[in-house]
Amino acid sequence: MQTIVGIKFKKAGKTYYFSPGNLELQTGDEVVVETARGIEWGEIVTGPREVPDEEVVQPLKKVIRKLNEQDHTAIRENEERQKEAMVTCQEKIEKHALPMKLVDCEYTFDRSKLIFYFTADGRVDFRALVKDLAGVFRTRIELRQIGVRDQAKMVGGLGPCGRGMCCATFLGDFHPVSIKMAKEQNLSLNPSKISGICGRLMCCLQYEQSAYEEGLKMMPRINSEVTTPQGKGTVVACHVVKEQVSVKVMQKDGTPEIIKCTLEEIGYKKPDREDTKTQESAKPAQEKDHREQGAPRNKEGNTNKRKRNRSRKR
C-alpha cells in the first residue's frame, strides 16, 4: 500500500497524484511539486489515502513542500509578468504576420519555461517567432497549439443556460459527444440550439445520456406496431421523460395522424431491468455463435471460388 494525495494545478484541470512523503497534508493545502514541465504549485483536492501498489503509476513523485510567503510573492510576480508577456508576444505575432490567435500564456513556478497557447486553422511555422521571444524573455519558450474547446476552457464565459461554462468551472476532461445523443433526447437539431460557445456540441448532452439509454430500453421500439384507442399504428418517437410515445395512425379518410399515448394506453408492459441486462449479455454470445457457424461456410465458399478460377485458367 502507498499513500497518495490528489493535486490540481488549475481550477477545472485534471487531478494528478503525488506522494506526501513525511509532510502532514490535508485537503485545501497549497504545495510545490516537481512535474514533467518543471517545478509547479497546486492545491490538494484529495487528502492522503492509501491505495494498492498496482494502482499507482510509477514513478510517484513526492511533494516538495507547502507554499510559504515567498512562494506566494513569486506567484503574484509571475502573474504580472504573464500579462506583459501576452502584450509582447502579440506584437511579435503581428510583426511576423503569422495566421495565429494568441489565447493565453503562463510561466512555470520557477520561471524555467514560458508557455504560449494559440489557435490556428492549420500548421504554423513559428520558428522565427520563438527565436525572437527567447531573446526577449531569456528563458525556454514553448508555443502550444490548442483546439477551440481548450480555448473556451481557458477563456471561460457564460453558457446558453446562463451559468458558467462547464469546461471552465468543473470539467476536468472532455468527453465524446455526438449528434446521436441529441436525437435520442428529442432535442432540436438546430446547431445554434445544441452548440456551445466553442461552436461544438455542448458537453452537457452527455450528462443525462445514460438515463435516456436506460429509459429507451423500457419503451417500444421505433417502427414497431402498437394498438391505440384509435386503432393500430406505428411508433415514430419515444418521449422518455414523460413515458409517452408518438404513434402514427391512419384515419378513416386515409390520412395519417400523429397522436401521443402513454404506455398504459397502448397496453405496453415495461420489461424488467434484469431482463434487459440478460438480453444485452446474450447478444455478444449470439453474435459469436453466428460467426463460428458462418466460418466453415465462408471457407467452403472461398474453396469453390478458387476451383472455379483454376478451371477457367485451364
Side-chain angles (χ1 to χ4, degrees), residues 18 30 65 68 80 103 157 177 279:
F18 295 82
E30 295 176 327
R65 66 177 185 276
N68 52 40
E80 293 297 326
V103 177
V177 183
Q279 292 175 3

Side-chain angles (χ1 to χ4, degrees), residues 144-155:
R144 188 173 298 176
Q145 186 171 356
I146 60 175
V148 289
R149 281 193 165 186
D150 293 303
Q151 178 187 6
K153 186 182 181 74
M154 287 184 175
V155 176

Side-chain angles (χ1 to χ4, degrees), residues 12 153 163-171 203-204 207:
K153 186 182 181 74
R163 296 175 62 88
M165 293 166 56
C166 299
C167 58
T169 51
F170 65 87
L171 276 186
C203 297
C204 54
Y207 297 167

Side-chain angles (χ1 to χ4, degrees), residues 5-146:
V5 291
I7 298 176
K8 275 189 176 182
F9 300 101
K10 294 182 179 180
K11 181 181 178 181
K14 296 181 182 179
T15 301
Y16 298 89
Y17 296 96
F18 295 82
S19 170
N22 299 324
L23 298 175
E24 293 184 2
L25 303 174
Q26 59 184 359
T27 303
D29 287 346
E30 295 176 327
V31 295
V32 179
V33 295
E34 182 184 356
T35 68
R37 298 198 320 176
I39 303 298
E40 294 281 6
W41 74 276
E43 181 181 349
I44 295 179
V45 294
T46 305
R49 61 187 179 94
E50 292 188 348
V51 296
D53 294 340
E54 57 269 16
E55 294 184 9
V56 177
V57 179
Q58 300 293 344
L60 186 65
K61 295 185 178 181
K62 292 184 178 180
V63 175
I64 298 175
R65 66 177 185 276
K66 290 184 179 181
L67 282 184
N68 52 40
E69 197 60 39
Q70 293 180 349
D71 295 330
H72 284 288
T73 303
I75 292 171
R76 288 192 292 269
E77 290 179 359
N78 286 348
E79 291 175 352
E80 293 297 326
R81 293 191 177 205
Q82 285 168 190
K83 295 178 183 178
E84 299 174 0
M86 283 285 290
V87 176
T88 303
C89 184
Q90 187 62 48
E91 293 174 353
K92 296 293 184 182
I93 291 174
E94 294 174 359
K95 176 183 175 182
H96 290 275
L98 294 174
M100 55 193 289
K101 179 182 178 182
L102 186 62
V103 177
D104 196 10
C105 77
E106 63 176 334
Y107 270 103
T108 54
F109 180 70
D110 57 357
R111 297 177 193 162
S112 61
K113 185 190 294 185
L114 178 56
I115 305 171
F116 292 95
Y117 300 94
F118 71 95
T119 59
D121 294 333
R123 294 179 63 87
V124 180
D125 185 4
F126 47 72
R127 288 174 292 184
L129 176 62
V130 171
K131 290 180 181 179
D132 281 0
L133 294 174
V136 174
F137 298 107
R138 302 293 180 182
T139 187
R140 288 180 59 194
I141 302 295
E142 180 179 340
L143 269 73
R144 188 173 298 176
Q145 186 171 356
I146 60 175

Side-chain angles (χ1 to χ4, degrees), residues 165-197:
M165 293 166 56
C166 299
C167 58
T169 51
F170 65 87
L171 276 186
D173 201 359
F174 294 110
H175 300 283
V177 183
S178 65
I179 195 68
K180 178 186 174 185
M181 295 180 180
K183 292 179 180 178
E184 291 183 348
Q185 296 176 32
N186 291 331
L187 298 176
S188 169
L189 299 184
N190 185 347
S192 63
K193 299 288 186 181
I194 57 176
S195 299
I197 292 177

